[in-house]
Amino acid sequence: EATRLGLSVCIVDRKPHRSTYSKALVIHARTMEIFERMGVSDAIVAVGVPFAAMRLVPGQNATPFTVDLMALDWGDTRFPFWLSLPQYETERCLEEHLISQGVSVHWRTPFVSLDQHNDGNADDHRVHATVTRPDGTPWHIEAKWVIGCDGGRSPVREQAGLAFDHEKLGQTFVIADALGDAPVPEDHGTTSLSTSGVVFFVPMPEPRRWRIIAHMPDHDAAAPIDIDTDFVDAVIRDRLGFDFGGTARLDIGDGDLTLAA
């Protein structure tokens, strides 16, 4: 966006490449409108799958009901749907679009420190940032602004002295992407408010692959949990009432709420 508006940018990232995990899965209408303004919405829609409906099970022995998402009053948006798309695909589309604008990401280039100077002129401030090149040598960059898009444990925020007050919930959520068979259409999501814990069962673009998010209210958050296909099958059978029959390895992400098998 900065490049589109005529600014020159230098993007650094400590990771070796963009994420290979699914992470955030649903893209909403307003985000799609912003992607359209950026010129990347067509590429995003081409690889995503719109949600058609969400089936809700309000509790054990309760009658489920379905919300037809496509029939909702979406107003004047050109994107009247929830779009299911793994974050690695979203990032791929964004990076390819960025490269088409002549900008590349400097991977394996971690941020180290920053210092701000204005030489007494508030209108002419400069930020001096130090990063480390892939070969280990320091790289000093001078810029008008530094934008820290580096998450909840942001080194940029820490260097700027901006506190991020938070506390742990002490709750365990299991997040997994798995292949299996379900007695619901592959463009329908399902959620259950089971007494065993809330579960979300959400379609992904790849056939037969589903995102499972399960709250484990009785689990000690400090203890490990053994996630395998039997575990996922048992959760789905208990809370959604059908056999999933997962056969593929679990595609475990690297987010804070994920417990790896």
Side-chain angles (χ1 to χ4, degrees), residues 192-214:
S192 172
L193 305 181
S194 166
T195 55
S196 301
V198 175
V199 63
F200 293 91
F201 189 76
V202 184
M204 299 182 69
E206 180 185 348
R208 298 182 61 245
R209 186 176 292 278
W210 301 81
R211 158 71 59 82
I212 299 101
I213 304 174

PDB file of all heavy atoms in Angstrom, residues 192-214:
ATOM      1  N   SER A 192     -20.565 -26.474  17.525  1.00  0.00           N
ATOM      2  CA  SER A 192     -21.383 -27.074  18.568  1.00  0.00           C
ATOM      3  C   SER A 192     -21.035 -26.460  19.911  1.00  0.00           C
ATOM      4  O   SER A 192     -19.856 -26.284  20.253  1.00  0.00           O
ATOM      5  CB  SER A 192     -21.160 -28.588  18.626  1.00  0.00           C
ATOM      6  OG  SER A 192     -21.821 -29.152  19.750  1.00  0.00           O
ATOM      7  N   LEU A 193     -22.079 -26.125  20.676  1.00  0.00           N
ATOM      8  CA  LEU A 193     -21.906 -25.622  22.036  1.00  0.00           C
ATOM      9  C   LEU A 193     -22.059 -26.782  23.017  1.00  0.00           C
ATOM     10  O   LEU A 193     -22.874 -26.747  23.929  1.00  0.00           O
ATOM     11  CB  LEU A 193     -22.926 -24.521  22.335  1.00  0.00           C
ATOM     12  CG  LEU A 193     -22.948 -23.355  21.356  1.00  0.00           C
ATOM     13  CD1 LEU A 193     -23.993 -22.323  21.771  1.00  0.00           C
ATOM     14  CD2 LEU A 193     -21.580 -22.700  21.275  1.00  0.00           C
ATOM     15  N   SER A 194     -21.258 -27.790  22.828  1.00  0.00           N
ATOM     16  CA  SER A 194     -21.323 -28.997  23.648  1.00  0.00           C
ATOM     17  C   SER A 194     -20.886 -28.704  25.077  1.00  0.00           C
ATOM     18  O   SER A 194     -20.067 -27.807  25.328  1.00  0.00           O
ATOM     19  CB  SER A 194     -20.414 -30.073  23.035  1.00  0.00           C
ATOM     20  OG  SER A 194     -20.186 -31.120  23.941  1.00  0.00           O
ATOM     21  N   THR A 195     -21.433 -29.472  26.038  1.00  0.00           N
ATOM     22  CA  THR A 195     -20.972 -29.331  27.417  1.00  0.00           C
ATOM     23  C   THR A 195     -19.524 -29.775  27.570  1.00  0.00           C
ATOM     24  O   THR A 195     -18.858 -29.437  28.548  1.00  0.00           O
ATOM     25  CB  THR A 195     -21.868 -30.168  28.359  1.00  0.00           C
ATOM     26  OG1 THR A 195     -21.896 -31.522  27.904  1.00  0.00           O
ATOM     27  CG2 THR A 195     -23.283 -29.617  28.392  1.00  0.00           C
ATOM     28  N   SER A 196     -19.017 -30.534  26.601  1.00  0.00           N
ATOM     29  CA  SER A 196     -17.605 -30.932  26.617  1.00  0.00           C
ATOM     30  C   SER A 196     -16.699 -29.806  26.172  1.00  0.00           C
ATOM     31  O   SER A 196     -15.484 -29.855  26.365  1.00  0.00           O
ATOM     32  CB  SER A 196     -17.395 -32.149  25.699  1.00  0.00           C
ATOM     33  OG  SER A 196     -18.176 -33.242  26.110  1.00  0.00           O
ATOM     34  N   GLY A 197     -17.278 -28.768  25.560  1.00  0.00           N
ATOM     35  CA  GLY A 197     -16.500 -27.644  25.051  1.00  0.00           C
ATOM     36  C   GLY A 197     -16.937 -27.268  23.650  1.00  0.00           C
ATOM     37  O   GLY A 197     -17.422 -28.108  22.889  1.00  0.00           O
ATOM     38  N   VAL A 198     -16.755 -26.018  23.318  1.00  0.00           N
ATOM     39  CA  VAL A 198     -17.111 -25.537  21.983  1.00  0.00           C
ATOM     40  C   VAL A 198     -16.185 -26.163  20.944  1.00  0.00           C
ATOM     41  O   VAL A 198     -14.988 -26.347  21.189  1.00  0.00           O
ATOM     42  CB  VAL A 198     -17.009 -24.003  21.921  1.00  0.00           C
ATOM     43  CG1 VAL A 198     -17.264 -23.488  20.506  1.00  0.00           C
ATOM     44  CG2 VAL A 198     -17.994 -23.367  22.890  1.00  0.00           C
ATOM     45  N   VAL A 199     -16.732 -26.488  19.776  1.00  0.00           N
ATOM     46  CA  VAL A 199     -15.911 -26.976  18.676  1.00  0.00           C
ATOM     47  C   VAL A 199     -16.368 -26.298  17.391  1.00  0.00           C
ATOM     48  O   VAL A 199     -17.562 -26.071  17.187  1.00  0.00           O
ATOM     49  CB  VAL A 199     -15.988 -28.516  18.541  1.00  0.00           C
ATOM     50  CG1 VAL A 199     -17.388 -28.968  18.206  1.00  0.00           C
ATOM     51  CG2 VAL A 199     -15.002 -29.030  17.505  1.00  0.00           C
ATOM     52  N   PHE A 200     -15.418 -25.949  16.550  1.00  0.00           N
ATOM     53  CA  PHE A 200     -15.690 -25.409  15.223  1.00  0.00           C
ATOM     54  C   PHE A 200     -15.133 -26.380  14.194  1.00  0.00           C
ATOM     55  O   PHE A 200     -13.991 -26.842  14.316  1.00  0.00           O
ATOM     56  CB  PHE A 200     -15.043 -24.026  15.033  1.00  0.00           C
ATOM     57  CG  PHE A 200     -15.622 -22.952  15.895  1.00  0.00           C
ATOM     58  CD1 PHE A 200     -15.087 -22.687  17.138  1.00  0.00           C
ATOM     59  CD2 PHE A 200     -16.708 -22.199  15.459  1.00  0.00           C
ATOM     60  CE1 PHE A 200     -15.619 -21.697  17.947  1.00  0.00           C
ATOM     61  CE2 PHE A 200     -17.250 -21.211  16.255  1.00  0.00           C
ATOM     62  CZ  PHE A 200     -16.704 -20.959  17.502  1.00  0.00           C
ATOM     63  N   PHE A 201     -15.930 -26.669  13.188  1.00  0.00           N
ATOM     64  CA  PHE A 201     -15.565 -27.610  12.125  1.00  0.00           C
ATOM     65  C   PHE A 201     -15.786 -26.870  10.814  1.00  0.00           C
ATOM     66  O   PHE A 201     -16.920 -26.662  10.392  1.00  0.00           O
ATOM     67  CB  PHE A 201     -16.456 -28.855  12.233  1.00  0.00           C
ATOM     68  CG  PHE A 201     -16.069 -29.992  11.350  1.00  0.00           C
ATOM     69  CD1 PHE A 201     -14.984 -30.795  11.638  1.00  0.00           C
ATOM     70  CD2 PHE A 201     -16.819 -30.285  10.213  1.00  0.00           C
ATOM     71  CE1 PHE A 201     -14.647 -31.869  10.826  1.00  0.00           C
ATOM     72  CE2 PHE A 201     -16.494 -31.349   9.397  1.00  0.00           C
ATOM     73  CZ  PHE A 201     -15.397 -32.144   9.700  1.00  0.00           C
ATOM     74  N   VAL A 202     -14.698 -26.434  10.187  1.00  0.00           N
ATOM     75  CA  VAL A 202     -14.786 -25.442   9.115  1.00  0.00           C
ATOM     76  C   VAL A 202     -14.135 -25.968   7.842  1.00  0.00           C
ATOM     77  O   VAL A 202     -13.032 -26.534   7.895  1.00  0.00           O
ATOM     78  CB  VAL A 202     -14.107 -24.122   9.550  1.00  0.00           C
ATOM     79  CG1 VAL A 202     -14.273 -23.056   8.480  1.00  0.00           C
ATOM     80  CG2 VAL A 202     -14.696 -23.630  10.872  1.00  0.00           C
ATOM     81  N   PRO A 203     -14.767 -25.794   6.683  1.00  0.00           N
ATOM     82  CA  PRO A 203     -14.186 -26.297   5.433  1.00  0.00           C
ATOM     83  C   PRO A 203     -12.980 -25.483   4.988  1.00  0.00           C
ATOM     84  O   PRO A 203     -12.888 -24.282   5.231  1.00  0.00           O
ATOM     85  CB  PRO A 203     -15.336 -26.148   4.432  1.00  0.00           C
ATOM     86  CG  PRO A 203     -16.147 -25.005   4.957  1.00  0.00           C
ATOM     87  CD  PRO A 203     -16.071 -25.122   6.446  1.00  0.00           C
ATOM     88  N   MET A 204     -12.057 -26.167   4.305  1.00  0.00           N
ATOM     89  CA  MET A 204     -10.908 -25.534   3.683  1.00  0.00           C
ATOM     90  C   MET A 204     -10.982 -25.786   2.174  1.00  0.00           C
ATOM     91  O   MET A 204     -11.708 -26.677   1.723  1.00  0.00           O
ATOM     92  CB  MET A 204      -9.615 -26.087   4.288  1.00  0.00           C
ATOM     93  CG  MET A 204      -9.495 -25.829   5.785  1.00  0.00           C
ATOM     94  SD  MET A 204      -7.942 -26.426   6.496  1.00  0.00           S
ATOM     95  CE  MET A 204      -6.768 -25.274   5.752  1.00  0.00           C
ATOM     96  N   PRO A 205     -10.264 -25.013   1.370  1.00  0.00           N
ATOM     97  CA  PRO A 205     -10.374 -25.176  -0.088  1.00  0.00           C
ATOM     98  C   PRO A 205     -10.002 -26.558  -0.605  1.00  0.00           C
ATOM     99  O   PRO A 205     -10.602 -27.044  -1.567  1.00  0.00           O
ATOM    100  CB  PRO A 205      -9.416 -24.105  -0.625  1.00  0.00           C
ATOM    101  CG  PRO A 205      -9.377 -23.059   0.439  1.00  0.00           C
ATOM    102  CD  PRO A 205      -9.476 -23.813   1.728  1.00  0.00           C
ATOM    103  N   GLU A 206      -9.028 -27.221   0.006  1.00  0.00           N
ATOM    104  CA  GLU A 206      -8.644 -28.558  -0.446  1.00  0.00           C
ATOM    105  C   GLU A 206      -9.757 -29.550  -0.140  1.00  0.00           C
ATOM    106  O   GLU A 206     -10.266 -29.589   0.989  1.00  0.00           O
ATOM    107  CB  GLU A 206      -7.361 -29.001   0.255  1.00  0.00           C
ATOM    108  CG  GLU A 206      -6.883 -30.385  -0.162  1.00  0.00           C
ATOM    109  CD  GLU A 206      -5.678 -30.842   0.633  1.00  0.00           C
ATOM    110  OE1 GLU A 206      -5.071 -30.015   1.346  1.00  0.00           O
ATOM    111  OE2 GLU A 206      -5.341 -32.039   0.549  1.00  0.00           O
ATOM    112  N   PRO A 207     -10.188 -30.354  -1.094  1.00  0.00           N
ATOM    113  CA  PRO A 207     -11.261 -31.316  -0.844  1.00  0.00           C
ATOM    114  C   PRO A 207     -10.963 -32.226   0.346  1.00  0.00           C
ATOM    115  O   PRO A 207      -9.849 -32.703   0.518  1.00  0.00           O
ATOM    116  CB  PRO A 207     -11.318 -32.123  -2.156  1.00  0.00           C
ATOM    117  CG  PRO A 207     -10.802 -31.178  -3.200  1.00  0.00           C
ATOM    118  CD  PRO A 207      -9.729 -30.379  -2.504  1.00  0.00           C
ATOM    119  N   ARG A 208     -11.979 -32.417   1.195  1.00  0.00           N
ATOM    120  CA  ARG A 208     -11.933 -33.306   2.346  1.00  0.00           C
ATOM    121  C   ARG A 208     -11.048 -32.798   3.481  1.00  0.00           C
ATOM    122  O   ARG A 208     -10.886 -33.481   4.489  1.00  0.00           O
ATOM    123  CB  ARG A 208     -11.488 -34.723   1.963  1.00  0.00           C
ATOM    124  CG  ARG A 208     -12.409 -35.435   0.978  1.00  0.00           C
ATOM    125  CD  ARG A 208     -11.923 -36.859   0.677  1.00  0.00           C
ATOM    126  NE  ARG A 208     -11.898 -37.677   1.868  1.00  0.00           N
ATOM    127  CZ  ARG A 208     -10.774 -38.173   2.400  1.00  0.00           C
ATOM    128  NH1 ARG A 208      -9.595 -37.915   1.846  1.00  0.00           N
ATOM    129  NH2 ARG A 208     -10.833 -38.927   3.487  1.00  0.00           N
ATOM    130  N   ARG A 209     -10.478 -31.606   3.347  1.00  0.00           N
ATOM    131  CA  ARG A 209      -9.680 -31.071   4.456  1.00  0.00           C
ATOM    132  C   ARG A 209     -10.518 -30.071   5.244  1.00  0.00           C
ATOM    133  O   ARG A 209     -11.156 -29.196   4.682  1.00  0.00           O
ATOM    134  CB  ARG A 209      -8.387 -30.409   3.973  1.00  0.00           C
ATOM    135  CG  ARG A 209      -7.489 -29.993   5.156  1.00  0.00           C
ATOM    136  CD  ARG A 209      -6.153 -29.422   4.689  1.00  0.00           C
ATOM    137  NE  ARG A 209      -5.307 -30.417   4.065  1.00  0.00           N
ATOM    138  CZ  ARG A 209      -4.529 -31.284   4.736  1.00  0.00           C
ATOM    139  NH1 ARG A 209      -4.535 -31.284   6.056  1.00  0.00           N
ATOM    140  NH2 ARG A 209      -3.780 -32.139   4.100  1.00  0.00           N
ATOM    141  N   TRP A 210     -10.472 -30.226   6.573  1.00  0.00           N
ATOM    142  CA  TRP A 210     -11.273 -29.401   7.462  1.00  0.00           C
ATOM    143  C   TRP A 210     -10.406 -28.809   8.568  1.00  0.00           C
ATOM    144  O   TRP A 210      -9.428 -29.420   9.001  1.00  0.00           O
ATOM    145  CB  TRP A 210     -12.389 -30.241   8.113  1.00  0.00           C
ATOM    146  CG  TRP A 210     -13.317 -30.861   7.122  1.00  0.00           C
ATOM    147  CD1 TRP A 210     -13.109 -32.004   6.399  1.00  0.00           C
ATOM    148  CD2 TRP A 210     -14.596 -30.371   6.728  1.00  0.00           C
ATOM    149  NE1 TRP A 210     -14.182 -32.257   5.586  1.00  0.00           N
ATOM    150  CE2 TRP A 210     -15.119 -31.280   5.774  1.00  0.00           C
ATOM    151  CE3 TRP A 210     -15.377 -29.270   7.096  1.00  0.00           C
ATOM    152  CZ2 TRP A 210     -16.366 -31.102   5.175  1.00  0.00           C
ATOM    153  CZ3 TRP A 210     -16.623 -29.093   6.521  1.00  0.00           C
ATOM    154  CH2 TRP A 210     -17.104 -29.998   5.566  1.00  0.00           C
ATOM    155  N   ARG A 211     -10.766 -27.609   8.998  1.00  0.00           N
ATOM    156  CA  ARG A 211     -10.142 -26.992  10.171  1.00  0.00           C
ATOM    157  C   ARG A 211     -10.988 -27.348  11.383  1.00  0.00           C
ATOM    158  O   ARG A 211     -12.195 -27.159  11.402  1.00  0.00           O
ATOM    159  CB  ARG A 211     -10.096 -25.483   9.986  1.00  0.00           C
ATOM    160  CG  ARG A 211      -9.962 -24.652  11.282  1.00  0.00           C
ATOM    161  CD  ARG A 211      -8.609 -24.758  11.935  1.00  0.00           C
ATOM    162  NE  ARG A 211      -7.547 -24.332  11.055  1.00  0.00           N
ATOM    163  CZ  ARG A 211      -7.197 -23.042  10.874  1.00  0.00           C
ATOM    164  NH1 ARG A 211      -7.841 -22.083  11.477  1.00  0.00           N
ATOM    165  NH2 ARG A 211      -6.211 -22.745  10.065  1.00  0.00           N
ATOM    166  N   ILE A 212     -10.328 -27.874  12.416  1.00  0.00           N
ATOM    167  CA  ILE A 212     -10.990 -28.203  13.669  1.00  0.00           C
ATOM    168  C   ILE A 212     -10.406 -27.333  14.765  1.00  0.00           C
ATOM    169  O   ILE A 212      -9.184 -27.301  14.965  1.00  0.00           O
ATOM    170  CB  ILE A 212     -10.820 -29.699  14.032  1.00  0.00           C
ATOM    171  CG1 ILE A 212     -11.440 -30.606  12.956  1.00  0.00           C
ATOM    172  CG2 ILE A 212     -11.430 -30.005  15.379  1.00  0.00           C
ATOM    173  CD1 ILE A 212     -10.442 -31.212  12.007  1.00  0.00           C
ATOM    174  N   ILE A 213     -11.272 -26.613  15.482  1.00  0.00           N
ATOM    175  CA  ILE A 213     -10.870 -25.819  16.638  1.00  0.00           C
ATOM    176  C   ILE A 213     -11.716 -26.294  17.812  1.00  0.00           C
ATOM    177  O   ILE A 213     -12.946 -26.208  17.764  1.00  0.00           O
ATOM    178  CB  ILE A 213     -11.093 -24.314  16.422  1.00  0.00           C
ATOM    179  CG1 ILE A 213     -10.369 -23.831  15.167  1.00  0.00           C
ATOM    180  CG2 ILE A 213     -10.623 -23.516  17.643  1.00  0.00           C
ATOM    181  CD1 ILE A 213     -10.669 -22.387  14.818  1.00  0.00           C
ATOM    182  N   ALA A 214     -11.087 -26.803  18.847  1.00  0.00           N
ATOM    183  CA  ALA A 214     -11.822 -27.360  19.975  1.00  0.00           C
ATOM    184  C   ALA A 214     -11.314 -26.776  21.285  1.00  0.00           C
ATOM    185  O   ALA A 214     -10.113 -26.796  21.570  1.00  0.00           O
ATOM    186  CB  ALA A 214     -11.688 -28.882  20.001  1.00  0.00           C
TER     187      ALA A 214
END
